[in-house]
Amino acid sequence: MSIAPDDAQRETHYLYRTMRDFVSSMDDTLPGKFEITKEGIVHDMMSPGGPHEVTAARVSRRLERVMPDELLAHTGTPDVEHEPEGIMRHPDVTVIPWADLDVEGSIDPRSVIAAVEVVSRSNPDNDWVGKTRDYALLGIPIYVIFDPRTGSGAVLSDIHGTPSGPRYATRKEFVYGEDVTIGEWTIPTTDLPRYADA
């Protein structure tokens, strides 16, 4: 017996809502950050601190100095969510128009200009692999990764279709100390901290 497409959609929707409800119930109970991907729930056990938070704050501030006033390099909540894809992510920095931030609930990924992640010490594959896949699926045009483990990063752009789904076609790597261009804006990467054990 085969499952009709409508039944599969309902099952996917139910599974996603179940994971979403679980994540909502755990947010203030367990340390760390919860996100939902195609593979299930990602739990970054360690609460970000030190170099991770300083990097996100410096990148946000540097972007806001060069962007027009109607844009924000946002470091807070809410999440970026696309229920039909079954994805809920929380970028460390979200470049978004102020008007599109003024919503109840999650941010629509179609309003996000760029997502910036600072690689987690405890789960680097989440940023380098999982979010690279998910941000392309969500249609976020630019994804930027800063990695305090290596003092390097990458700017991913130009989403194109592949047999495996949407993927970023262009990857421009940088090392800390170089200027990095994110969309129309260029910022320095000097003085970005590294993890102590790097």
Side-chain angles (χ1 to χ4, degrees), residues 160-177:
H160 69 114
T162 74
S164 303
R167 295 292 182 262
Y168 291 106
T170 303
R171 175 180 169 137
K172 294 183 180 175
E173 298 185 358
F174 61 89
V175 295
Y176 285 15

Side-chain angles (χ1 to χ4, degrees), residues 178-198:
E178 297 177 332
D179 288 350
V180 62
T181 299
I182 301 170
E184 301 172 27
W185 313 287
T186 300
I187 62 170
T189 62
T190 50
D191 302 325
L192 294 179
R194 302 274 306 273
Y195 292 135
D197 57 358

Side-chain angles (χ1 to χ4, degrees), residues 88-116:
M88 183 189 72
R89 290 296 199 166
H90 186 89
D92 292 317
V93 180
T94 306
V95 178
I96 186 170
W98 278 95
D100 291 318
L101 183 63
D102 190 13
V103 295
E104 294 292 329
S106 298
I107 294 171
D108 183 339
R110 292 171 295 192
S111 65
V112 176
I113 297 166
V116 177

Side-chain angles (χ1 to χ4, degrees), residues 40-52:
I41 296 172
V42 175
H43 180 206
D44 195 346
M45 299 277 290
M46 297 177 68
S47 294
H52 185 283

